[in-house]
Amino acid sequence: MADAALRLTALAEELLGEKLPVRIRAWDGSESGPPGAPVLIIRNRRALRRLLWKPGELGLARAWVAGELDIEGDLYEALDLMASLIWDRGPEAEDSVHPVRDPKVRAFARGLLQLAGPWLPPPPPPEEVRRRTGTLHTKRRDKEAISHHYDVGNDFYGLVLGPSMVYSCAYWEDDGNLEDAQRDKLDLVCRKLALKEGDRLLDVGCGWGSMALHAAREYGARVTGVTLSVEQAAYARKRIADEGLTDRIEIRVQDYRDVRDGPYDAISSIGMAEHVGSVRFREYADDLYALLRPGGRLLNHQIARRPEKDESAYQVDEFIDAYVFPDGELAPVGRTVTTLEEAGFETRDVESIREHYARTLRSWVANLEKHWDRAVRMTSPGRARVWRLYMAASALSFEHNKIGVNQILVVRPAEGGASRMPLRARVWPAPTTG
């Protein structure tokens, strides 16, 4: 009798104490749940074994990457509905569910075991990062982490990011498109840094060279870009040569900690500081401070998380750590500002562009889905599934204010404390009437 979906629905609703908001379709062809809702497809009982042996996010992620779990219908709606089961219950409800003491959890596990069978789980998908050893955020380990994420293939990133090849939050107009929004973001950074002809700009984590090209082409800056990704550097150098800007831009495969040819007039760090880690962030701030001339500006564009009541309880997201950004860490924006100021910087502007990142991610997901077959051929089905899940889930996290992104403009004060900033650095729109 095909009844796996019905049994799974009953088990989940008993555990949660409420109706499941999604429909379940099981490997035996059975279905259960509200009609018209997004469908969670469980293609193989291996998915249940993964969840039993690794309860929580990582077990589910392994099943998703392996293709044992899928979603039919609106991906965002399905993720939002499933996430609400956790977010709406709150931390008190989450803490009350203990895998040993809670009888509902034990009953759920027993029922899942009966459906899954007594076999061991399959090995993790090959897309999962290999077991890491050594001290966190050493130069060797950081290089390996960056390679895992960015050396997936320039052609794959081209499908997802579009012609701009900018892998960070765009800056949108109401009716804009992705390419215009990415150009506007690069221009916003250049204007905040007050770049002018002949200025030396250090672009930390330069990616595929888009910021360097914009600063050199539009503002006449002389740019040094550093990245740990060999593939990114090769791609950026070709773009620079094609535009005839090799006399203005140098791209290095180099750790920012090894840059010693300051002083620079300005530094841009866009979407790179998330890789630095809390144990190295003060070192990062000190190094960039030393590389700036007095009066120079740093624009630090960085994803932030909400602060924890107990910061020692913060844990890195298991799925992101295992499949997307190994060793990446997020910090509250207040901690980032404090550390930059402890290094000697003066904070002059903090702009939250959280909603802009949600829109950017939705555009990247749409690009990936449009070119799905090509993306799979360029990488693997599992890798494409990783990127689709993490970008869609991240878009929702930005929309729900679970994470944010901020442009923090700081200066290295000149002699006597001069900031060399205009009195009115920001122009706010006039109030509307009616």
Side-chain angles (χ1 to χ4, degrees):
M1 181 177 179
D3 64 351
L6 186 62
R7 292 168 66 187
L8 284 167
T9 299
L11 285 169
E13 291 180 347
E14 178 65 25
L15 174 67
L16 298 168
E18 59 184 286
K19 291 290 185 181
L20 270 184
V22 297
R23 191 167 177 82
I24 291 179
R25 181 184 303 150
W27 60 90
D28 61 356
S30 61
E31 291 195 29
S32 176
V39 181
L40 176 64
I41 303 171
I42 306 173
R43 291 202 169 100
N44 195 295
R45 68 175 78 195
R46 283 192 300 267
L48 306 186
R49 294 201 288 274
R50 292 187 192 275
L51 187 58
L52 279 166
W53 285 84
K54 192 66 179 178
E57 186 173 295
L58 188 55
L60 289 170
R62 286 172 173 171
W64 171 271
V65 176
E68 298 155 2
L69 287 181
D70 207 344
I71 288 172
E72 181 180 289
D74 188 294
L75 176 63
Y76 297 101
E77 182 185 1
L79 293 176
D80 217 4
L81 288 169
M82 290 188 289
S84 69
L85 294 175
I86 300 172
W87 291 344
D88 292 349
R89 287 160 65 85
E92 294 80 8
E94 186 177 339
D95 291 343
S96 70
V97 179
H98 191 282
V100 175
R101 294 191 298 267
D102 194 292
K104 289 185 177 181
V105 174
R106 286 183 291 176
F108 178 78
R110 284 195 301 270
L112 215 58
L113 181 60
Q114 290 174 356
L115 284 166
W119 304 281
L120 293 174
E127 291 80 10
E128 187 166 314
V129 68
R130 292 177 298 175
R131 184 174 177 272
R132 286 155 282 175
T133 59
T135 305
L136 193 64
H137 294 298
T138 60
K139 292 178 183 178
R140 177 192 62 79
R141 184 158 164 171
D142 280 353
K143 187 175 180 64
E144 291 174 353
I146 292 298
S147 178
H148 173 86
H149 186 78
Y150 291 103
D151 290 343
V152 174
N154 295 328
D155 291 340
F156 173 79
Y157 276 106
L159 290 181
V160 175
L161 305 180
S164 71
M165 290 300 284
V166 179
Y167 192 25
S168 54
C169 176
Y171 196 62
W172 295 84
E173 295 278 5
D174 286 339
D175 58 351
N177 59 55
L178 179 61
E179 295 310 305
D180 289 344
Q182 290 293 14
R183 180 204 61 221
D184 289 350
K185 188 273 298 297
L186 298 176
D187 203 67
L188 177 67
V189 173
C190 291
R191 287 185 283 116
K192 286 182 175 181
L193 291 173
L195 290 181
K196 61 184 184 298
E197 182 77 30
D199 277 354
R200 293 191 74 207
L201 169 68
L202 175 63
D203 187 26
V204 181
C206 64
W208 292 273
S210 299
M211 175 64 193
L213 282 164
H214 190 87
R217 185 198 314 116
E218 305 298 331
Y219 289 83
R222 294 175 294 137
V223 187
T224 299
V226 296
T227 176
L228 293 178
S229 169
V230 174
E231 288 199 26
Q232 281 187 334
Y235 189 96
R237 288 168 183 152
K238 184 179 185 307
R239 294 176 75 191
I240 291 161
D242 289 347
E243 291 205 27
L245 290 170
T246 53
D247 61 329
R248 286 190 173 272
I249 306 172
E250 178 189 9
I251 301 295
R252 306 173 186 166
V253 179
Q254 184 179 35
D255 194 291
Y256 73 92
R257 288 165 282 194
D258 294 329
V259 178
R260 294 290 182 267
D261 59 347
Y264 286 87
D265 299 293
I267 299 176
S268 54
S269 179
I270 306 172
M272 180 271 176
E274 297 89 341
H275 298 287
V276 172
S278 59
V279 297
R280 297 285 185 185
F281 200 84
R282 176 57 191 273
E283 178 184 351
Y284 162 86
D286 288 339
D287 284 350
L288 299 191
Y289 183 88
L291 287 166
L292 267 180
R293 65 168 175 79
R297 302 182 188 182
L298 161 66
L299 191 286
N300 189 79
H301 176 121
Q302 183 176 348
I303 298 172
R305 60 175 171 84
R306 303 293 299 169
E308 301 276 358
K309 290 182 179 178
D310 176 11
E311 279 294 315
S312 65
Y314 167 65
Q315 293 182 336
V316 176
D317 182 282
E318 284 188 303
F319 167 61
I320 298 294
D321 188 53
Y323 287 97
V324 186
F325 291 107
D327 297 339
E329 293 180 52
L330 301 183
V333 63
R335 182 191 295 179
T336 299
V337 169
T338 296
T339 305
L340 290 168
E341 294 221 327
E342 287 171 348
F345 287 108
E346 179 190 8
T347 304
R348 298 300 307 217
D349 189 77
V350 179
E351 182 177 4
S352 172
I353 52 175
R354 173 172 64 83
E355 293 85 355
H356 293 256
Y357 216 156
R359 189 168 172 180
T360 303
L361 284 155
R362 283 180 176 262
S363 293
W364 290 343
V365 172
N367 285 344
L368 176 59
E369 292 176 341
K370 180 180 178 181
H371 302 291
W372 183 259
D373 291 340
R374 290 178 62 195
V376 168
R377 289 196 301 270
M378 288 174 178
T379 54
S380 69
R383 182 65 63 195
R385 291 174 65 82
V386 166
W387 255 245
R388 183 172 180 243
L389 178 61
Y390 113 77
M391 291 191 299
S394 295
L396 292 171
S397 292
F398 281 108
E399 288 168 1
H400 289 287
N401 194 22
K402 303 300 176 181
I403 53 177
V405 62
N406 305 279
Q407 289 193 347
I408 305 171
L409 180 66
V410 296
V411 300
R412 174 174 174 167
E415 185 177 355
S419 69
R420 299 178 182 169
M421 292 281 295
L423 286 177
R424 294 190 177 188
R426 237 212 238 165
V427 178
W428 291 96
T432 57
T433 58

